Amino acid sequence: ETALDQEVRSFATSLRLTGLGNPYHALLLRHLSVHDPSRLSQALGLNEVGAACLSQHSDTVRELIDLAIRVETCDALYGLAGLLERGLLERRAVKKGLLRLATVSLHHQAKKALMSQVGAEGTVTANALLTAGALSVLGQPLGVGQGNNPTCQSARGVSLWSMHAPGYLLNLLIRAARDGSVRFEFEGTALKSEELTGGLAPDIDPNLDPVSLVLVPHLDKIYDAMARHAAGRSHDPHRWVNPAFYGRWVPSGFACAVDEGTRQISAFGDFVRQFFATHHPAFNDGDELLYPNPVGILVTSVHGRLLGAHAVSLVRIDADPQGELRCYFYNPNGEGRQDWGRGVVVSVSGCGEIPGESSLPFAQFASRLYAFHFHAMEGGDPEAVPDAVVAAVTEE
């Protein structure tokens, strides 16, 4: 008993400090699930919310452990702990969706993609890999990465839905895994991924998590098709595409600093005023950011030269431990610690970030922003933003 207690505590401590699973930890959890389930909470290092969720749904948790936790899927242990601490098993759609993933008949393309990650000698099933991947994504919404693919919009969608519509995400994943297709609607036009070609990443780099490996190829084609439908209008296509793709969380107001005709920065001062008036607490009349805002940034090199446009999610705006107002954002490219030149250095820790967030001081983030959504009927007066504030952002 004493040795087992020490083993349980050691694995839980390692998991929560590093976020990394261990093959022996997976074996231990499977053993405890069958022979000593009262120790499962301690073995995952759960907080009070997670322990309560485990107690309430112990049969489901043990079934998920049996179906999805293996040596090959040990990294899903951290996701399982996060899922429980989010209390997601209280949602019927999540509980049923996860169990359905474990048994759904997989499309041959999805099965081939999943099994390519374990090789010929792997003994884990494709369904187990996919279910474990879903545990990881739901437990770590800010941990989704695009890998070596130009699919930041799709990764951003997986992250956003994991945070605010986990049941919807699982439904999308089941359709992609079972049917080899997902379907969206854009301005009355039905878009079916199995009928679409192209996309930004027609040849997906397979070094992705299981959920992204199955779902992102379809999302990429859908997003690209929406953008083509909206092309040629007087404004940036993202104005219409983002609400249709991501859902009701995206406000209808839209500001863009790039002129659609010339593709040059235009009226940047007015753009900055709009961002401050709708997002800065000193100017926006208390209109807090409730959901992640899908924004576009122009990434620059350490020398300040433009590298290209990139899709991120503005997650929250808050003061850091030193009292400085910062923009905390999710960056799908998996490398948040970037130097964008002229003193704009992205932080991932030490400035109040939660795991998975990147952050910049508010004005520095605004200096690299080129598109964002906002509530058109809320916020403050852009003209109230001082000229000096706008000038400081423009000079970054």
Side-chain angles (χ1 to χ4, degrees), residues 172-364:
L172 275 179
L173 181 59
I174 289 168
R175 281 188 276 157
R178 180 195 62 204
D179 306 330
S181 177
V182 298
R183 303 184 182 192
F184 282 67
E185 185 175 297
F186 183 69
E187 298 179 344
T189 300
L191 301 175
K192 306 172 185 178
S193 65
E194 80 270 19
E195 298 176 355
L196 300 172
T197 58
L200 297 176
D203 299 311
I204 292 286
D205 184 326
N207 188 25
L208 293 170
D209 68 275
V211 170
S212 298
L213 195 63
V214 170
L215 186 54
V216 165
H218 302 284
L219 297 178
D220 178 47
K221 289 191 287 185
I222 293 288
Y223 197 94
D224 182 63
M226 288 184 177
R228 284 188 275 109
H229 275 277
R233 303 179 184 181
S234 59
H235 294 283
D236 187 296
H238 296 94
R239 176 177 184 173
W240 298 277
V241 173
N242 286 343
F245 186 76
Y246 298 117
R248 58 184 174 85
W249 303 274
V250 181
S252 59
F254 183 76
C256 184
V258 177
D259 182 85
E260 189 62 19
T262 65
R263 303 308 299 165
Q264 300 295 315
I265 298 294
S266 175
F268 189 67
D270 293 339
F271 174 83
V272 171
R273 291 181 190 279
Q274 187 71 64
F275 184 63
F276 271 75
T278 54
H279 287 77
H280 196 293
F283 303 101
N284 71 352
D285 291 341
D287 183 23
E288 295 183 8
L289 189 65
L290 299 179
Y291 298 102
N293 190 336
V295 305
I297 58 174
L298 296 175
V299 180
T300 49
S301 71
V302 66
H303 303 294
R305 298 192 183 99
L306 177 65
L307 296 178
H310 184 47
V312 304
S313 290
L314 180 56
V315 177
R316 62 188 177 97
I317 295 168
D318 206 351
D320 66 17
Q322 291 73 43
E324 183 175 28
L325 191 72
R326 300 181 76 90
C327 291
Y328 296 89
F329 59 100
Y330 157 71
N331 188 347
N333 71 12
E335 176 47 71
R337 297 169 295 180
Q338 297 169 334
D339 187 336
W340 292 346
R342 300 179 63 88
V344 180
V345 180
V346 181
S347 169
V348 295
S349 64
C351 294
E353 299 90 352
I354 65 172
E357 286 183 335
S358 299
S359 80
L360 281 170
F362 191 96
Q364 289 190 349

Side-chain angles (χ1 to χ4, degrees), residues 8 15 34 42 76 98 107 119 205 212 268 287 312 338 355 372 375:
V8 165
L15 180 70
V34 175
Q42 186 182 20
L98 285 169
H107 190 274
D205 184 326
S212 298
F268 189 67
D287 183 23
V312 304
Q338 297 169 334
F372 64 92
H375 294 284

